[in-house]
Amino acid sequence: MNWAFVGASTIASQYMLDAVRQQADNDVTWVVSNSPDRVQTWAKEHSIPNATTDLNAALSDDGVKAVYISSTNEKHHGQAMAAIAAGKHVLCEKPLGMTQAEAVEMVRAADAAGVTFGTNHHLRCSGSHRAIRNLIADGRVGEVLSLRIHHAVHLPENLQGWRINSADAGGGVIPDIVVHDADVTRFLLNEDPVSVVAQMASSGMGQGVEDSCMSVWTMPSGAMVMTHESFTHPFAGSGLQVHGTEGSIFADGIMTQRPVGAIQLVTEAGSEEIPFSDHSLYVHGVSEFVAAAAGQGRPAADGPDGVKSLSIALSVREAAASGERINIDYGGF
Ligand code: NDP
């Protein structure tokens, strides 16, 4: 399957080009960017035969079957709608859009067009998160009482651009990281939060957007979820804990792009290290997307998953801005 990459971005060059090229019979044949100079340089650097600033030029190539969108967040909706209208399968970066209405429109359009639509939530593709999900599903912690996610990182200098200074481009830690934690929570607990309370702050990086957030979510089962996201924490590390009536899971260093970290299960029987696969998160995610496009299974995270993670993140922001508890509306999904 030939792909067009829309967005000459860091995530595309660091992970996604390789993830596509590792799939049998898949390659990237176009790159689309807003900058005439950058797109030529980027294409040459990554051996991509076609470079353009005109999205329609790439979309009108019948050889292109899939489009990966990793532009800044405000562009996702328009680019995805154009790709879907051209009959392409779409793998879109999170957050799917700036608003829930945008995300819903994209997912409904893909459904109507009969194309595969995926959201690039990589964490649910990791061996560590899948091992934790299995522990929970197998009842190893008993009834889940609580989930604590700590995902406060230090944004690398090369990414300290639109994420920290442009609300118009979808900056802020809530659209950037809370969406991932929302997807992880839904994936691990297999249920959707019903309401949230939250606070947000600018603690040194955010210019007109929040760079830190803490929130507490209510789950239908009664489990409580607590999350902490930030761009400004150099030494906090990341991870999550799941606490249940029969055991606790302590997972360190797993809220990351690489297959690293460690998982301990603690029960009355003692402490046990849980092994997990160290496959690439992104290669795995693309492989599930490619299979889905070929009619086998579904993408690791599909369109409704992307609508839901965005709906939760937007509710967290609304809760933080208003000081109110917000009931989450999933836009019909
Ligand atoms: P970047 O800032 O690297 O790229 C975003 C856009 O900024 C590019 O499409 C490009 O625009 C422009 N740009 C990039 N580098 C430069 C540069 N040196 N000079 C001028 N313009 C530049 O963003 P990310 O790769 O970090 O994020 C892109 C998207 O991917 C976002 O939606 C983000 O949320 C998502 N993301 C997802 C991750 C995941 O694990 N699922 C991880 C990281 C990001 P143009 O294409 O027009 O040239």
Side-chain angles (χ1 to χ4, degrees):
M1 184 158 75
N2 285 341
W3 293 64
F5 268 35
V6 179
S9 66
T10 308
I11 181 73
S13 55
Q14 281 188 343
Y15 290 100
M16 292 301 286
L17 263 171
D18 177 59
V20 168
R21 287 176 168 160
Q22 285 205 29
Q23 315 297 322
D25 301 322
N26 278 253
D27 203 358
V28 180
T29 52
W30 286 85
V31 57
V32 183
S33 146
N34 285 301
S35 155
D37 292 338
R38 259 176 59 72
V39 79
Q40 293 298 338
T41 313
W42 211 87
K44 199 170 285 176
E45 197 178 320
H46 298 293
S47 307
I48 297 171
N50 303 291
T52 183
T53 55
D54 176 9
L55 175 60
N56 288 324
L59 296 180
S60 60
D61 179 346
D62 289 339
V64 169
K65 301 296 179 203
V67 172
Y68 166 61
I69 298 171
S70 67
S71 50
T72 46
N73 301 340
E74 86 287 8
K75 299 196 179 78
H76 294 177
H77 171 259
Q79 292 167 337
M81 291 302 289
I84 292 163
K88 315 296 184 189
H89 304 299
V90 172
L91 177 57
C92 187
E93 271 307 342
K94 43 51 66 171
L96 289 188
M98 299 288 279
T99 63
Q100 184 191 61
E102 284 186 354
V104 167
E105 190 182 11
M106 292 153 69
V107 174
R108 293 224 187 281
D111 200 34
V115 298
T116 298
F117 189 97
T119 307
N120 203 28
H121 279 308
H122 62 300
L123 290 169
R124 62 161 68 201
C125 299
S126 70
S128 56
H129 287 253
R130 291 187 178 194
I132 295 168
R133 180 178 153 99
N134 289 341
L135 289 174
I136 296 169
D138 292 346
R140 301 287 303 277
V141 299
E143 185 190 332
V144 175
L145 301 170
S146 61
L147 165 64
R148 306 172 183 163
I149 299 180
H150 54 110
H151 202 163
V153 299
H154 193 261
L155 194 65
E157 211 173 310
N158 66 312
L159 296 183
Q160 291 177 23
W162 59 271
R163 270 186 181 77
I164 61 167
N165 65 20
S166 177
D168 290 347
V173 81
I174 292 176
D176 202 50
I177 304 186
V178 173
V179 283
H180 280 312
D181 295 345
D183 189 63
V184 165
T185 298
R186 294 187 55 251
F187 181 68
L188 295 184
L189 302 187
N190 207 22
E191 57 178 346
D192 300 337
V194 282
S195 66
V196 297
V197 294
Q199 297 221 2
M200 59 185 173
S202 289
S203 53
M205 267 194 209
Q207 299 152 40
V209 295
E210 79 289 340
D211 60 28
S212 298
C213 177
M214 289 187 178
S215 57
V216 176
W217 310 353
T218 304
M219 304 302 286
S221 64
M224 296 183 76
V225 175
M226 179 174 88
T227 83
H228 177 204
E229 298 82 8
S230 181
F231 288 151
T232 63
H233 287 47
F235 309 110
S238 80
L240 61 81
Q241 300 176 2
V242 184
H243 301 287
T245 51
E246 309 293 328
S248 285
I249 299 166
F250 297 86
D252 289 325
I254 65 159
M255 308 302 287
T256 175
Q257 296 180 294
R258 289 170 299 112
V260 295
I263 305 172
Q264 294 284 332
L265 172 67
V266 180
T267 64
E268 227 166 35
S271 177
E272 184 185 339
E273 177 143 3
I274 304 296
F276 57 86
S277 165
D278 65 354
H279 61 254
S280 155
L281 286 62
Y282 295 97
V283 172
H284 204 87
V286 173
S287 75
E288 292 191 3
F289 180 85
V290 167
Q296 291 151 16
R298 54 183 286 272
D302 62 13
D305 290 321
V307 170
K308 288 186 176 187
S309 64
L310 177 61
S311 301
I312 296 164
L314 292 172
S315 297
V316 165
R317 196 179 246 169
E318 188 183 343
S322 65
E324 303 286 322
R325 178 192 197 105
I326 301 297
N327 292 319
I328 305 169
D329 157 24
Y330 288 102
F333 284 92

